[in-house]
Amino acid sequence: MEIIRAKNYQDMCRKAANLIFAQLIQKNDSVLGLATGSTMVGIYKDIITRYSSGDLNFEKVATVNLDEYLGLPSTNPQSYRYYMEENFFNHINISPKNTYLPDGMCDDINKECKKYDMLIDSLGGIDLQLLGLGLDGHIGFNEPGNVFHKNSHCIQLNESTIKANSRFFDRIEDVPKRAITMGIGSIMAAETIVLCVNGENKAPILKQVLYGPIKPQIPGSILQLHNNLIVIADADAFKEISF
Ligand code: F6R
């Protein structure tokens, strides 16, 4: 595990964007695993800035997102497809056909999950996976449970996740209760994983994820077993870890 200590959120974003930059310089047809949420907003902004200055080309890049709410069409501003277009895809020269998220409006959830896993396989797996961290230790929407789910699956969101995500919705009742998430297997199979964490409220869970026992009750703890995990966190998130 490589630990990169950022001064603050801006610094964390710049460092994460630099890693994406390095990845695309080395492999211009990379498959990027992407996440949504507030942690990622500044990272996408910084990547767009580098793209705008002519440093990056996404023509041959493919992206696979971690998750999508069930029941929200892509036109709904709360859907993760909408988020990705607003915050990232609309600002770079990526071909829309190379951007993948689970279909939250699918008729057959099991079929959609299998299709998503097959898609990731057909792309040759993920070169670099960007991850945020949930307050309950979730990665993607792999919520705490009794097992690590290997494959893409439908998940019932935890009360704490619904509460945390309600900040993006008018009312907490509007937050979807279910989502499709990439499984732990596809995440762990990524060549490189970049876990980005900021803020004091994530300090206790970050400590457990990085140095606590590896268990499905703390899904992110499995990242300790990855061969090429890079953790970029700001000083607030590292507050409970002594270096
Ligand atoms: C979203 C995702 C989630 C978030 C996590 C942190 O696609 O995969 O695991 O990364 O919930 O969310 P924020 O960044 O909003 O604190």
Side-chain angles (χ1 to χ4, degrees):
M1 166 182 1
E2 188 183 336
I3 300 258
I4 299 180
R5 293 163 69 187
K7 287 196 265 307
N8 49 35
Y9 178 68
Q10 286 73 19
D11 192 31
M12 181 203 77
C13 292
R14 201 168 44 241
K15 285 173 161 52
N18 283 344
L19 288 181
I20 299 287
F21 176 71
Q23 173 69 34
L24 296 188
I25 292 296
Q26 283 177 324
K27 191 168 185 266
N28 66 355
D29 60 350
S30 289
V31 177
L32 299 178
L34 300 179
T36 58
S38 31
T39 311
M40 297 295 141
V41 172
I43 298 174
Y44 293 137
K45 262 202 189 115
D46 281 359
I47 301 173
I48 293 165
T49 304
R50 298 205 74 156
Y51 166 76
S52 306
S53 59
D55 285 341
L56 285 171
N57 184 0
F58 289 86
E59 251 167 19
K60 296 185 177 165
V61 170
T63 63
V64 276
N65 263 76
L66 285 164
D67 38 25
E68 178 61 282
Y69 287 123
L70 272 170
L72 295 189
S74 57
T75 47
N76 186 312
Q78 308 301 343
S79 75
Y80 284 169
R81 163 62 75 181
Y82 194 98
Y83 168 107
M84 288 308 299
E85 286 173 1
E86 283 290 298
N87 287 289
F88 196 34
F89 300 151
N90 288 347
H91 309 278
I92 56 172
N93 67 334
I94 196 160
S95 164
K97 70 173 174 22
N98 292 337
T99 65
Y100 301 97
L101 284 92
D103 178 4
M105 295 301 286
C106 61
D107 294 329
D108 184 333
I109 297 171
N110 285 336
K111 214 163 144 190
E112 177 62 18
C113 291
K114 283 205 182 90
K115 203 170 110 191
Y116 207 59
D117 286 339
M118 277 163 60
L119 165 84
I120 297 168
D121 284 349
S122 72
L123 292 170
I126 295 164
D127 292 302
L128 185 151
Q129 176 68 57
L130 266 181
L131 287 182
L133 183 64
L135 282 170
D136 60 2
H138 70 232
I139 48 175
F141 268 147
N142 290 277
E143 293 280 33
N146 295 323
V147 289
F148 290 110
H149 285 279
K150 181 168 178 274
N151 296 317
S152 295
H153 56 284
C154 171
I155 189 89
Q156 202 77 32
L157 298 178
N158 264 354
E159 276 311 310
S160 74
T161 303
I162 291 173
K163 199 165 158 227
N165 290 4
S166 66
R167 68 192 191 277
F168 302 114
F169 291 78
D170 289 338
R171 304 173 317 157
I172 193 162
E173 301 84 68
D174 296 337
V175 185
K177 309 278 179 293
R178 294 191 306 161
I180 291 182
T181 181
M182 196 189 281
I184 294 286
S186 307
I187 295 174
M188 288 298 282
E191 280 289 320
T192 303
I193 295 180
V194 179
L195 174 69
C196 302
V197 190
N198 70 289
E200 205 170 347
N201 61 340
K202 302 251 176 98
I205 193 66
L206 182 61
K207 185 179 182 188
Q208 286 191 67
V209 161
L210 300 186
Y211 301 110
I214 298 167
K215 54 182 184 182
Q217 289 79 14
I218 308 283
S221 62
I222 199 157
L223 297 173
Q224 293 176 37
L225 300 177
H226 195 273
N227 282 335
N228 194 13
L229 169 68
I230 303 173
V231 183
I232 311 179
D234 70 354
D236 285 342
F238 276 138
K239 236 173 196 160
E240 302 218 354
I241 298 169
S242 43
F243 292 99

